[in-house]
Amino acid sequence: MEIDNKLIEKIKNEGRAVINNIIEKEKLDFCKKVINKKTLQGKANSTVIPISKVSLTLKLLKFQFNQILDSIKLKQISQNLNLLECSEKILEKKTILDSIDLYKSNKSEEQILPWHCDQSYSGKTIVKNTHPDEGYLKFFFYLTDVDSNNGCLGYIPKSHKITYYLKICFYNNELKYEPFWSLSDMRELLCKKNVRNELKKYLKLDVIDEFIENSNFANSGNKDTLNYDLKVSAGGVLIFNELGYHRAACPSKNDRYALRYFYRKIS
């Protein structure tokens, strides 16, 4: 997979970008087959792929050879697509493949996840703060077509920048931590004078005001919008910084299958 300077700048600035027609049908079918090996129940199901030496050794000791072979094939896909090189160009630092998983969301009229930030400690009130550089750049390969109201991701552009510096303020004890998993919590935080005063040391307040305006839909009846939906064809990839605010739409037309690679900076 080639990633040019224009696309790199787009991801750095907006936090996300889509590239279609990356994985051929044979690999799509293989990934679906791996997912369907599991007994899947409920609305969302994830299959974590062993990639570390420890986890692969445990599989070997348990004679789980098929899972080892699946891991080798999925890692080979990432290598053939040069995902490590792509992640290092985007993050401008040495990176490592931290984890791989395969994900299925069963057909439903409910959102897979509402608007949220992955790097927000799941909304906990008491946390041990982590530096935002410890977060992930995700390569989210769709194994089925997704669009509005059918499993696609919505992502508010540039929201990853605000969350990054908010976490810096928490990490440096410039601000007392407050939950910000939900979009409404984040909007409430950004309206506080002390929060704005600290954040303006790192970025222009225009960026914050733009985010508040772009997220006004949080006050609407269904608290959602289609304005930031990212349509992706089966075999395409959505690359995004998990610090940004996003949601996964309901898979109303069919089950949604996905393959995810998680890269992080090496400390």
Side-chain angles (χ1 to χ4, degrees), residues 91 94-96 98 134-136 262-267:
L91 297 176
K94 290 293 183 181
T95 64
I96 187 172
D98 188 90
E134 296 178 29
Y136 296 113
F262 300 73
Y263 285 83
R264 62 174 174 81
K265 295 178 182 180
I266 298 175
S267 303

Side-chain angles (χ1 to χ4, degrees), residues 37 40 43 70 83 91 99 112 118 130 134 148 180 182 186 210-211 217 249 253 261:
K37 285 178 185 176
L40 300 174
K43 183 172 63 175
D70 291 343
L83 298 189
L91 297 176
S99 60
I112 297 170
D118 289 338
T130 58
E134 296 178 29
S148 293
F180 60 102
S182 71
M186 183 60 153
E210 180 183 355
F211 171 79
F217 65 85
K253 299 177 184 178
Y261 294 93

Side-chain angles (χ1 to χ4, degrees), residues 14-243:
E14 298 182 6
R16 80 291 188 276
V18 170
I19 309 175
N20 276 307
N21 303 316
I22 300 298
I23 298 182
E24 59 269 28
K25 186 177 185 302
E26 179 186 355
K27 290 186 175 66
L28 296 183
D29 291 341
F30 162 72
C31 292
K32 288 182 182 179
K33 184 177 179 181
V34 174
I35 295 173
N36 289 331
K37 285 178 185 176
K38 300 287 184 179
T39 301
L40 300 174
Q41 297 178 343
K43 183 172 63 175
N45 307 276
S46 178
T47 302
V48 178
I49 303 301
I51 60 172
S52 69
K53 290 182 179 179
V54 173
S55 59
L56 288 171
T57 299
L58 289 174
K59 297 296 181 184
L60 182 61
L61 293 173
K62 294 179 181 179
F63 303 105
Q64 295 173 329
F65 303 120
N66 287 335
Q67 293 188 36
I68 295 173
L69 290 174
D70 291 343
S71 174
I72 292 171
K73 290 179 182 179
L74 289 168
K75 288 181 73 174
Q76 187 64 53
I77 290 173
S78 70
Q79 292 166 2
N80 291 343
L81 293 174
N82 300 315
L83 298 189
L84 180 65
E85 181 183 348
C86 291
S87 69
E88 291 181 345
K89 287 181 178 179
I90 295 166
L91 297 176
E92 298 182 294
K93 196 171 182 181
K94 290 293 183 181
T95 64
I96 187 172
L97 174 59
D98 188 90
S99 60
I100 304 172
D101 71 6
L102 288 152
Y103 196 88
K104 179 188 177 185
S105 302
N106 295 331
K107 183 179 177 181
S108 172
E109 294 299 324
E110 296 181 15
Q111 286 183 349
I112 297 170
L113 273 174
W115 289 93
H116 68 286
C117 171
D118 289 338
Q119 276 285 301
S120 58
Y121 317 106
S122 301
K124 294 177 182 177
T125 55
I126 299 176
V127 301
K128 181 179 180 181
N129 287 330
T130 58
H131 195 283
D133 282 342
E134 296 178 29
Y136 296 113
L137 180 71
K138 293 183 181 179
F139 292 81
F140 203 121
F141 290 91
Y142 289 95
L143 312 180
T144 48
D145 294 341
V146 294
D147 53 34
S148 293
N149 295 318
N150 190 41
C152 79
L153 205 76
Y155 190 107
I156 301 177
K158 304 178 184 179
S159 56
H160 66 299
K161 296 180 178 180
I162 300 173
T163 310
Y164 180 88
Y165 289 114
L166 179 66
K167 289 196 70 174
I168 287 288
C169 290
F170 292 149
Y171 187 80
N172 293 337
N173 293 316
E174 297 166 322
L175 287 171
K176 182 180 178 182
Y177 169 77
E178 296 183 60
F180 60 102
W181 184 83
S182 71
L183 196 54
S184 58
D185 283 344
M186 183 60 153
R187 285 168 54 84
E188 186 177 329
L189 265 177
L190 296 179
C191 289
K192 294 184 178 182
K193 185 176 180 179
N194 67 314
V195 174
R196 293 173 67 88
N197 285 339
E198 292 299 331
L199 283 175
K200 72 180 181 182
K201 299 175 184 177
Y202 299 100
L203 73 171
K204 295 180 179 179
L205 291 180
D206 290 351
V207 178
I208 298 174
D209 293 335
E210 180 183 355
F211 171 79
I212 291 175
E213 182 178 350
N214 288 342
S215 60
N216 274 334
F217 65 85
N219 294 327
S220 66
N222 64 358
K223 302 184 185 301
D224 195 14
T225 181
L226 306 182
N227 290 344
Y228 310 114
D229 283 2
L230 298 162
K231 181 180 178 179
V232 188
S233 300
V237 62
L238 168 61
I239 306 170
F240 71 96
N241 187 316
E242 69 171 0
L243 282 163

